[in-house]
Amino acid sequence: MITFKGVHKWFKSLHVLNDINLHVSPGEVLVVCGPSGSGKSTLIRTINQLEPINQGTLIVDGMDLSDKKTDINKLRAEVGFVFQQFNLYPHLSVIGNITLAPIKIRNIPKKEAEEQAMELLTRVGLAEKRDAYPLQLSGGQQQRVAIARGLAMKPRIMLFDEPTSALDPEMIGEVLEVMKDLARSGMTMVVVTHEMGFAREVAHRVVFMDYGVILEEAPPEDFFLRPQHERAQQFLRQLLTPMQAG
Amino acid sequence: MLNYTFDWSIITSGQYFDWLVSGLITTLKLSAISIVMAFILGLVIAVMRMSHNKPVRWFAHIYLEFFRNTPLLVQIFFWYFGSYKILPTVINDWLNKTGFEFAAAAIALTIYTSAFIAEDIRSGVLSIPKEQMEAARSAGFSYLRSMQYIILPQAVRITIPPLVNQFLNLAKNSSLAMTIGVMEMTYQARQVESYTFKGFEAFTAATVVYLVLSIVITAMVNLYNEKVLNIHKAA
């Protein structure tokens, strides 16, 4: 579904992705973690070319991103992206946010798009908020709308870039529930997150990155119980006991 | 002692009143058409100015500098006296039939004001967080579609106060159209003055008309703004 082969990326002289080789199978849930500045956000953003790669091969859903002829808009319509800061469209209502792309890109009739949107809103538990505006919602609600917006395009892959990092602690759970639900439904997902509970419960594999390099790649139980790399051990220690880390 | 007898009746009834009313209608038409066209053209130029395509961006840049930095009166004369010489005869004949003065004035006002509107919209667009463009692009919208559906609707809302200014300027600047013979408000007031020597009354009428026009434009945009603001307030 997603294949990285020898992928490199630089921001000026900074080597943010260094020889990335990674494969994600259909239906797989991959969690990417690592300290800030490790390149994990850049990695996930290359998958729908929010960040273009400089070297190597990246194939997503059969489309070669290193090929200039690839229709990038077509690819992006097949890949849902959920941002840390939600990035809902503030001038549109909740239902407007969800139906905009299906109506304008997929040419689905408005009524049908709204019916589908209502199904998704029900699924994320926000059916009663259909006419609210994004900034009237809590962070957790906004993020659930953002997930529904991504799903409205019936994507083949969903990408999540730290979806709970901007949320108050009491709202993280509601977003994770929606994501776990999605994972169990068989969606192919790549999730950048520090929510280790989520990783344990639904991830098939965990990738640990630092300095733009994939240092460790393992099933969650191995990664959490027997991290091989010293940086990964350190990272997990800090994550589990944040008070002692500082 | 004042050596002048006021006669307000000339501007409230009769032939001169009719002249003033026809002037008012022409001013309204000229302003309305030019405001709509200038807004649309301003949007297009603003998007071109931010294009990733270098020639397109430079064209818009030159357009902006050119039309913002030359006097409107010169531009009106250019379109009226200048373009006449270079346009094909067919178009000239057609324009003569439909009123070339009006068309030249509308074109000049539209282009001149569009340059200012484009700059206002551009600063509005630049104030929209770049994440909005990212969200739109990652949903599969092209750059232009992202602008159309996501960025510009937000940018125009926050650009409303400066846009009102441009609309007001345009309505007031439309009085310059009299210099090429468009029979708008100022032209007719001048006409009434030359026939009656009642300059005070005639130009008082013109002044009141422009004042009311400005107030109406401001009120209309504010009404729209309030609806928008409500969303933002609730938001």
Side-chain angles (χ1 to χ4, degrees):
Chain A
M1 200 94 206
I2 306 170
T3 307
F4 289 80
K5 267 188 216 142
V7 169
H8 290 263
K9 178 169 180 66
W10 288 267
F11 287 132
K12 299 226 170 84
S13 64
L14 191 66
H15 204 164
V16 280
L17 293 181
N18 186 351
D19 193 25
I20 301 294
N21 294 285
L22 188 65
H23 179 80
V24 183
S25 313
E28 189 177 5
V29 177
L30 179 78
V31 161
V32 181
C33 61
S36 66
S38 61
K40 57 192 190 301
S41 276
T42 309
L43 177 81
I44 197 171
R45 286 162 62 91
T46 61
I47 299 174
N48 73 347
Q49 218 182 68
L50 280 178
E51 301 288 354
I53 61 171
N54 297 129
Q55 196 186 314
T57 314
L58 173 52
I59 296 170
V60 180
D61 196 22
M63 289 186 248
D64 185 351
L65 294 202
S66 26
D67 185 351
K68 286 232 183 319
K69 286 191 290 267
T70 299
D71 183 349
I72 193 64
N73 293 327
K74 192 165 166 256
L75 169 86
R76 284 170 173 160
E78 303 294 334
V79 180
F81 199 103
V82 175
F83 297 86
Q84 181 177 354
Q85 298 290 346
F86 336 128
N87 299 348
L88 293 177
Y89 312 132
H91 62 300
L92 297 177
S93 64
V94 163
I95 192 100
N97 265 275
I98 299 173
T99 57
L100 184 68
I103 291 172
K104 301 297 183 188
I105 296 175
R106 297 254 196 260
N107 294 315
I108 292 173
K110 189 172 180 218
K111 194 166 165 283
E112 197 184 322
E114 288 188 343
E115 281 165 15
Q116 289 173 8
M118 283 315 293
E119 277 171 35
L120 288 168
L121 275 179
T122 311
R123 189 164 156 195
V124 301
L126 289 171
E128 79 284 2
K129 295 289 186 190
R130 60 165 284 162
D131 295 317
Y133 280 82
L135 297 175
Q136 295 171 311
L137 305 178
S138 72
Q141 291 170 332
Q142 287 190 58
Q143 193 61 299
R144 284 187 281 156
V145 172
I147 294 172
R149 177 176 70 174
L151 292 173
M153 290 294 276
K154 300 196 171 25
R156 316 214 340 124
I157 301 169
M158 282 291 281
L159 307 175
F160 296 82
D161 187 7
E162 303 207 34
T164 56
S165 302
L167 297 177
D168 291 334
E170 72 270 23
M171 289 167 186
I172 292 176
E174 65 191 49
V175 172
L176 289 179
E177 273 318 306
V178 170
M179 289 171 62
K180 285 177 196 166
D181 218 43
L182 192 59
R184 291 187 194 108
S185 77
M187 176 66 78
T188 308
M189 292 164 70
V190 178
V191 185
V192 172
T193 186
H194 289 165
E195 290 299 329
M196 292 304 133
F198 172 82
R200 264 200 205 103
E201 231 176 291
V202 296
H204 298 104
R205 245 183 330 148
V206 177
V207 159
F208 176 78
M209 284 183 77
D210 204 2
Y211 307 114
V213 181
I214 293 181
L215 290 178
E216 193 145 342
E217 193 184 326
E221 54 271 28
D222 292 345
F223 177 73
F224 291 115
L225 296 176
R226 295 174 288 279
Q228 302 298 308
H229 200 279
E230 187 213 336
R231 291 284 300 152
Q233 293 163 0
Q234 201 182 344
F235 174 76
L236 282 173
R237 265 201 308 277
Q238 288 185 353
L239 207 62
L240 298 174
T241 52
M243 298 303 282
Q244 294 159 25
Chain B
M1 270 301 285
L2 264 180
N3 198 8
Y4 185 81
T5 350
F6 288 99
D7 181 5
W8 294 100
S9 69
I10 61 146
I11 61 160
T12 54
S13 61
Q15 185 196 4
Y16 303 125
F17 172 74
D18 294 343
W19 286 3
L20 292 174
V21 169
S22 91
L24 166 65
I25 291 169
T26 306
T27 288
L28 287 178
K29 258 202 250 169
L30 183 59
S31 302
I33 291 172
S34 305
I35 281 177
V36 172
M37 303 276 284
F39 179 64
I40 295 168
L41 191 58
L43 275 176
V44 172
I45 298 292
V47 171
M48 288 173 73
R49 180 74 183 84
M50 292 175 290
S51 166
H52 295 296
N53 183 315
K54 219 171 183 180
V56 170
R57 196 168 63 235
W58 270 96
F59 171 82
H61 192 60
I62 292 167
Y63 177 102
L64 288 171
E65 295 306 329
F66 191 86
F67 290 110
R68 279 196 309 162
N69 295 317
T70 49
L72 175 57
L73 190 55
V74 173
Q75 291 183 31
I76 290 176
F77 284 167
F78 176 83
W79 293 112
Y80 185 59
F81 298 111
S83 67
Y84 200 78
K85 314 271 180 193
I86 55 165
L87 287 175
T89 330
V90 201
I91 298 183
N92 272 333
D93 289 346
W94 180 76
L95 282 172
N96 278 333
K97 267 183 229 145
T98 52
F100 188 43
E101 297 83 9
F102 187 89
I107 291 169
L109 283 167
T110 297
I111 291 180
Y112 177 79
T113 314
S114 73
F116 290 91
I117 289 179
E119 281 299 77
D120 288 338
I121 291 175
R122 189 168 74 103
S123 36
V125 166
L126 292 179
S127 71
I128 305 293
K130 71 172 191 347
E131 286 79 9
Q132 286 291 310
M133 180 56 98
E134 275 189 353
R137 295 305 302 270
S138 71
F141 286 107
S142 67
Y143 174 78
L144 284 178
R145 295 281 169 228
S146 304
M147 275 286 174
Q148 182 187 353
Y149 297 125
I150 290 113
I151 307 299
L152 286 178
Q154 297 182 56
V156 167
R157 277 160 207 227
I158 53 176
T159 310
I160 278 173
L163 278 182
V164 174
N165 272 336
Q166 302 305 348
F167 293 168
L168 293 182
N169 282 339
L170 190 152
K172 290 179 289 180
N173 285 338
S174 74
S175 60
L176 287 175
M178 75 166 286
T179 57
I180 55 169
V182 177
M183 293 157 85
E184 45 70 71
M185 193 64 217
T186 311
Y187 181 99
Q188 296 291 17
R190 179 85 181 78
Q191 192 86 327
V192 170
E193 193 272 339
S194 11
Y195 275 70
T196 62
F197 299 106
K198 293 292 176 196
F200 190 90
E201 291 85 340
F203 285 104
T204 299
T207 304
V208 170
V209 162
Y210 285 112
L211 196 61
V212 171
L213 181 58
S214 294
I215 291 169
V216 169
I217 291 175
T218 310
M220 273 164 53
V221 185
N222 276 350
L223 199 73
Y224 174 76
N225 202 11
E226 228 162 74
K227 274 167 77 184
V228 174
L229 272 182
N230 271 343
I231 293 170
H232 278 267
K233 253 185 248 157

